[in-house]
Amino acid sequence: MTSSAILSHPIKPIADLPVDADLAKALLSSMAEFGEQLHGRRLWLACSGGRDSLALAALCVQLYRQGKLPFLPQLLHVNHGLQVDSGTWATHVAHWAKAQQIPCRILRAQVNGHDEQAARQARYDVMRAQLNQDDVLLLAHHADDQAETVLMRLIQGAGVNGLSGMQPWRIQTQGAQRMALWRPWLTVKRANISNYAQCLKLPYIDDPTNDAGDNVRSGLRLDIMPVLATYNSNVIDNIARSAQLLSDAQLIINAQAVEDLQQTEVVSSQLPPAHRVLNIDKLKALPIYRQRQLLHHWLGQDEPLPPAKQLVDDVFMLSQRDDPDHQTALFWQGRKQSYTICRYRQQLYRLSSEWLKWLALPLVKQLQPLSNLVVADINTMSAQPVSVTLRRDNKFTWQVQMMPDILAELLDSYQGDDDSLEITFAPLGRQQRVQTALASRPQAGKKLYQTLGVPVWLRESLVVVSAVSVQQDKEWPLLLVSPFESWVLGVSKSLTDTPDNIGSFDSVISNSLSINNAF
């Protein structure tokens, strides 16, 4: 069974045929540049069977047989069934690989959609599933691809990051999985690869849809690039050089944004990637252009694709508002998660949808008899904390840690019989009145939330930690805790003889918030 798209050259070994010096130099130079990253990693080569990927596979075989390349990548060919001849093409790639004695795996992919973007995503997804952690995927993108990419992003209104084009080395993550994308031929022209393929008489697949002109990239290739070449014959090299210069500029911008982020983020309230917080006063102290760049960087953390300019503009305007109405909530559907961006007082918040769902889970009252937690030998075991889980699902866990022996000593001053004491953890009722150590009187509801500066989405996550005397039927509220903060309650004053001990309960009962797995 044959396909008219496959060049009629016979399949034969190419290891001893002439090597193209320029293509080999580009590959070996890139290998030297990224040698440290490549060391010890397994390599795969994405091989569609087209001219570019088959030429790169052929060059790897030749250099490996000559001892100039220390590895021979395994080929990955994805059959996503979009063409009538897709199965024939897969068989052809497998036969060619067998003739070159290079390992090859044929993968099947299900494409959700009919456009090139859907097909590309399906290919990456099925290849990613084949790779182990930190494997390297070798890609045959070249200078012409780079020029087309830069022009595509230019007409889409991309910034410096987008106009820097494809990177020769990039770490791609999805969930907990990481792989490296390696593009050693971004300085090589398509014409050089074509000449090499002709010299070797490579039987590559000339997919007719590549030049159909029915998408932006092929339109640029067929209609725009030839016109640009009439103005400057070096247009491909020049665009590629501009992309490299912009890539260098982006590194400088990123370094500045990272430095600004370190100065403006609220460290005590960070739970990446679920809960990120910026201090608006510190943000507004920066020049306007650095504010916008910082917001772009802050929003795009944990996501493979940057936020749209309109979203950055909207968040910037939200940060500049001076009116007391901070109810505005902005929504962003990222590639990995969806997010809500909002403001409370002088802080900006980026909240993941999974985090907001977790915050809506109900809290249940719990009690711990103190006598069950206190150890016999206080000198050897008192430093061991006891954890109590307040809320948990498959993504997040919220616990408090108690030092029971120290807590028992603090409570012993007013209650001598430890056996009768229980420590309770109860959700704060909306109308329940509590008095913090620094407040002049008890407060409840909205007034309490405002006094403590608790945002709306955290108000159902307040827990009162109390000591309860079973014999005396008395209760002493000790702490009010939220996922990120805790407040010593005023009633604790009556449990200590000196003002210096008021904060002691805060030191023996502490918060712990964690992410169970990456997402």
Side-chain angles (χ1 to χ4, degrees):
M1 184 176 182
T2 61
S3 168
S4 60
I6 302 175
L7 270 66
S8 58
H9 302 306
I11 294 177
K12 61 181 182 179
I14 48 82
D16 297 328
L17 297 180
V19 174
D20 186 283
D22 291 336
L23 299 184
K25 180 181 178 181
L27 175 58
L28 296 175
S29 295
S30 185
M31 183 188 69
E33 180 179 359
F34 301 109
E36 184 176 344
Q37 293 95 317
L38 287 166
H39 182 70
R41 293 187 174 186
R42 186 169 60 167
L43 273 79
W44 306 80
L45 195 160
C47 185
S48 67
R51 174 194 53 221
D52 305 333
S53 61
L54 206 65
L56 182 56
L59 183 64
C60 286
V61 170
Q62 291 180 311
L63 295 179
Y64 178 74
R65 303 301 180 201
Q66 295 176 8
K68 296 179 180 178
L69 199 67
F71 52 77
L72 186 63
Q74 300 185 58
L75 303 190
L76 284 179
H77 176 85
V78 179
N79 176 8
H80 42 44
L82 293 181
Q83 305 287 344
V84 174
D85 292 338
S86 293
T88 303
W89 295 349
T91 301
H92 175 73
V93 170
H95 287 166
W96 184 87
K98 184 177 181 181
Q100 315 312 323
Q101 300 181 7
I102 182 173
C104 178
R105 295 189 186 183
I106 307 298
L107 308 176
R108 292 298 302 265
Q110 183 67 40
V111 181
N112 297 319
H114 301 285
D115 59 358
E116 177 56 29
Q117 177 60 35
R120 183 183 300 110
Q121 185 62 45
R123 289 196 296 271
Y124 274 107
D125 287 345
V126 72
M127 287 190 290
R128 185 184 296 107
Q130 184 67 40
L131 272 60
N132 291 329
Q133 187 79 325
D134 291 324
D135 280 0
V136 178
L137 184 62
L138 186 57
L139 301 168
H141 294 129
H142 46 71
D144 295 66
D145 293 326
Q146 181 76 298
E148 293 162 10
T149 298
V150 171
L151 288 178
M152 284 177 61
R153 294 178 180 178
L154 179 65
I155 63 179
Q156 293 167 350
V160 174
N161 187 45
L163 295 179
S164 63
M166 296 178 286
Q167 302 304 306
W169 183 274
R170 185 169 75 86
I171 301 299
Q172 187 181 79
T173 61
Q174 181 165 322
Q177 188 181 23
R178 294 186 308 273
M179 69 176 181
L181 304 181
W182 181 28
R183 300 180 175 95
W185 272 1
L186 288 181
T187 59
V188 171
K189 287 185 179 180
R190 179 185 287 119
N192 293 33
I193 300 173
S194 295
N195 292 336
Y196 173 60
Q198 291 172 9
C199 288
L200 296 187
K201 291 184 170 49
L202 287 180
Y204 63 82
I205 301 166
D206 189 11
D207 186 349
T209 63
N210 288 339
D211 295 324
D214 57 356
N215 57 58
V216 175
R217 182 178 290 275
S218 60
L220 289 171
R221 181 183 308 147
L222 294 172
D223 303 328
I224 305 302
M225 296 305 297
V227 174
L228 292 178
T230 64
Y231 290 94
N232 190 320
S233 59
N234 294 322
V235 62
I236 299 296
D237 291 332
N238 291 344
I239 293 178
R241 183 168 62 252
S242 293
Q244 181 58 56
L245 293 172
L246 288 166
S247 179
D248 293 342
Q250 184 61 47
L251 292 175
I252 297 172
I253 292 172
N254 286 345
Q256 182 64 69
V258 168
E259 182 179 327
D260 289 341
L261 181 62
Q262 292 173 346
Q263 300 301 317
T264 56
E265 66 181 352
V266 183
V267 177
S268 62
S269 298
Q270 303 297 322
L271 185 67
H275 190 268
R276 290 189 177 274
V277 191
L278 275 186
N279 183 296
I280 291 177
D281 291 331
K282 293 181 179 179
L283 173 69
K284 294 171 74 171
L286 299 172
I288 295 294
Y289 68 91
R290 279 170 58 186
Q291 290 186 47
R292 292 184 181 277
Q293 187 57 45
L294 172 56
L295 290 174
H296 184 277
H297 176 77
W298 176 70
L299 288 168
Q301 292 176 106
D302 319 302
E303 284 290 328
L305 298 178
K309 180 180 182 298
Q310 186 60 57
L311 177 65
V312 176
D313 290 343
D314 290 342
V315 175
F316 174 76
M317 294 304 298
L318 181 62
S319 70
Q320 303 300 305
R321 288 171 58 169
D322 293 324
D323 61 274
D325 181 11
H326 295 158
Q327 300 303 310
T328 302
L330 304 171
F331 181 79
W332 177 35
Q333 180 61 59
R335 176 68 64 86
K336 292 183 178 180
Q337 296 187 66
S338 58
Y339 303 90
T340 297
I341 299 96
C342 51
R343 173 177 178 172
Y344 182 74
R345 296 186 175 176
Q346 291 305 100
Q347 293 183 341
L348 279 176
Y349 296 83
R350 196 203 70 178
L351 313 168
S352 76
S353 57
E354 296 291 345
W355 171 245
L356 291 174
K357 288 178 185 177
W358 181 83
L359 289 173
L361 296 176
L363 294 166
V364 179
K365 182 176 181 178
Q366 301 183 55
L367 62 88
Q368 294 283 344
L370 191 56
S371 59
N372 292 354
L373 305 177
V374 176
V375 298
D377 188 352
I378 191 171
N379 294 322
T380 60
M381 297 285 293
S382 61
Q384 299 300 317
V386 173
S387 296
V388 177
T389 300
L390 301 180
R391 180 191 282 145
R392 178 187 177 92
D393 68 359
N394 63 333
K395 291 187 171 61
F396 306 100
T397 298
W398 178 23
Q399 295 179 319
V400 292
Q401 275 79 44
M402 294 188 298
M403 306 297 289
D405 298 280
I406 301 175
L407 182 60
E409 287 188 6
L410 289 173
L411 297 175
D412 186 61
S413 60
Y414 73 95
Q415 175 64 41
D417 187 359
D418 290 340
D419 292 342
S420 66
L421 284 180
E422 294 176 344
I423 304 300
T424 66
F425 305 85
L428 176 71
R430 283 191 170 272
Q431 302 306 316
Q432 182 178 353
R433 299 176 65 82
V434 295
Q435 181 177 354
T436 62
L438 300 179
S440 58
R441 60 181 182 276
Q443 293 177 314
K446 187 175 181 179
K447 186 66 176 177
L448 175 64
Y449 303 144
Q450 291 177 340
T451 299
L452 300 180
V454 180
V456 174
W457 54 91
L458 289 175
R459 291 177 181 177
E460 297 300 322
S461 299
L462 293 173
V463 172
V464 179
V465 183
S466 303
V468 177
S469 171
V470 177
Q471 294 180 351
Q472 300 181 25
D473 192 25
K474 290 183 179 180
E475 181 175 344
W476 296 273
L478 306 177
L479 285 176
L480 179 64
V481 297
S482 77
F484 296 102
E485 295 182 85
S486 63
W487 300 269
V488 175
L489 297 180
V491 72
S492 301
K493 297 177 182 179
S494 64
L495 307 184
T496 56
D497 296 326
T498 62
D500 292 338
N501 288 330
I502 291 177
S504 296
F505 295 102
D506 196 21
S507 63
V508 298
I509 304 175
S510 59
N511 261 328
S512 173
L513 191 61
S514 60
I515 296 180
N516 301 334
N517 48 43
F519 59 93

